[in-house]
Amino acid sequence: MLINSYHKHFLECGTDEAGRGCLAGPVVAAAVILPKRFKNQLINDSKVLKKSNRALLKDLIEKKALGFSVSFVDNFIIDRVNILNASIQAMHQSIEELEILPEHILVDGNRFKPFKTIPHLCVIKGDGKYLNIAAASILAKTYRDAYMEKIHEEFPVYNWKQNKGYPTAQHREAIEKYGTTKYHRMSFKLLPQQLKLTL
C-alpha cells in the first residue's frame, strides 16, 4: 500500500498532471490534500487502474480530501510556452485554487518551479509511492478523459474517446487524412513524415 504523504506533521498536497504526451487537448493537473490518517488499498498511479476503479476512486477522493483542485491549460498555451512549462503552470494553478494553503508540496516527476514560498519535493514515479500524488493523478486523468470524450463528439474522426489525444497510429493517420483541429498542439510532431525527419 502507498504511503499517505512525505511529511508526517506538515499539511501537504500532492500534485500530478495528465496528458503531457498527447497530440491534442489540454494538459490537466490536480492537487490533493488528504487527511493524515487516510488509507486506501486501491489508490495507485492512475495509469495502472481500470477506468471503473478510477471513477469510483475519484468520487472517494473528492469526498474524503481536506482539499482538492483540478486545473486545465489548453493547447494554445502549450504551444506558446512548451509542454513542461504548461504542465508546471497547471500544477501551480491547481495548488493556487486549493481551499487550504499547503505547508509542503509533493510533486510527481523531477521538474518543478517553486510555488510562492512553500517548500516542495519532486519524486520520480511518486504516483506509485505516495497516496496524495496518486490521488492527484486520478483526478487529473479522470477530468481530462471526460473532457476528451466530450470534444470527441465535435471531431469523431480522431477517436479521442478511445485514444484521449495520445499519438496512436489511428490518431496520426486521421491527422494526415483530415488535417488538424483547434485542439491539436501545433508545436508537437503530429505526422509520420515529421517523425521520420527526426530519426
Side-chain angles (χ1 to χ4, degrees):
M1 192 166 71
L2 278 62
I3 301 167
N4 180 290
S5 58
Y6 179 78
H7 272 295
K8 297 291 184 287
H9 305 294
F10 292 160
L11 191 66
E12 181 177 88
C13 80
T15 187
D16 197 5
E17 51 72 30
R20 188 166 167 177
C22 295
L23 303 181
V27 63
V28 179
V32 177
I33 301 173
L34 294 173
K36 287 297 181 186
R37 296 181 182 273
F38 179 84
K39 293 180 182 179
N40 186 284
Q41 293 185 345
L42 280 180
I43 290 178
N44 204 335
D45 171 7
S46 63
K47 295 185 290 296
V48 305
L49 296 172
K50 292 180 181 178
K51 182 178 181 179
S52 57
N53 284 340
R54 285 198 298 266
L56 290 171
L57 290 169
K58 169 188 174 290
D59 292 342
L60 175 72
I61 291 161
E62 292 182 346
K63 183 179 179 182
K64 298 291 186 180
L66 298 178
F68 73 88
S69 177
V70 180
S71 181
F72 288 62
V73 169
D74 67 31
N75 52 296
F76 299 106
I77 295 174
I78 292 168
D79 284 340
R80 191 165 73 243
V81 303
N82 78 43
I83 187 59
L84 173 62
N85 287 322
S87 298
I88 293 171
Q89 180 177 326
M91 288 190 277
H92 278 204
Q93 286 175 193
S94 65
I95 298 165
E96 181 76 53
E97 291 165 10
L98 284 169
E99 298 161 3
I100 310 167
L101 191 67
E103 298 169 315
H104 186 260
I105 302 165
L106 202 58
V107 185
D108 183 58
N110 62 355
R111 302 288 293 276
F112 193 67
K113 294 177 182 176
F115 177 78
K116 298 184 176 179
T117 58
I118 302 172
H120 70 268
L121 176 68
C122 293
V123 181
I124 296 171
K125 296 185 178 178
D127 48 7
K129 297 174 183 176
Y130 293 96
L131 280 174
N132 55 9
I133 297 180
S137 81
I138 290 167
L139 293 192
K141 181 161 179 58
T142 53
Y143 275 80
R144 188 181 188 281
D145 283 0
Y147 177 85
M148 295 306 295
E149 288 165 13
K150 180 181 177 182
I151 64 172
H152 165 87
E153 303 302 324
E154 197 176 344
F155 295 101
V157 295
Y158 302 94
N159 200 20
W160 290 332
K161 69 179 180 183
Q162 183 177 340
N163 63 51
K164 305 300 188 290
Y166 281 91
T168 61
Q170 182 190 37
H171 189 183
R172 290 195 190 277
E173 287 165 9
I175 294 170
E176 193 161 24
K177 185 174 181 180
Y178 300 104
T180 57
T181 69
K182 60 186 177 181
Y183 298 111
H184 279 100
R185 303 174 184 179
M186 304 310 292
S187 58
F188 280 47
K189 291 182 170 54
L190 302 175
L191 298 175
Q193 303 94 298
Q194 293 175 298
L195 295 174
K196 288 172 187 172
L197 292 173
T198 65
L199 294 178

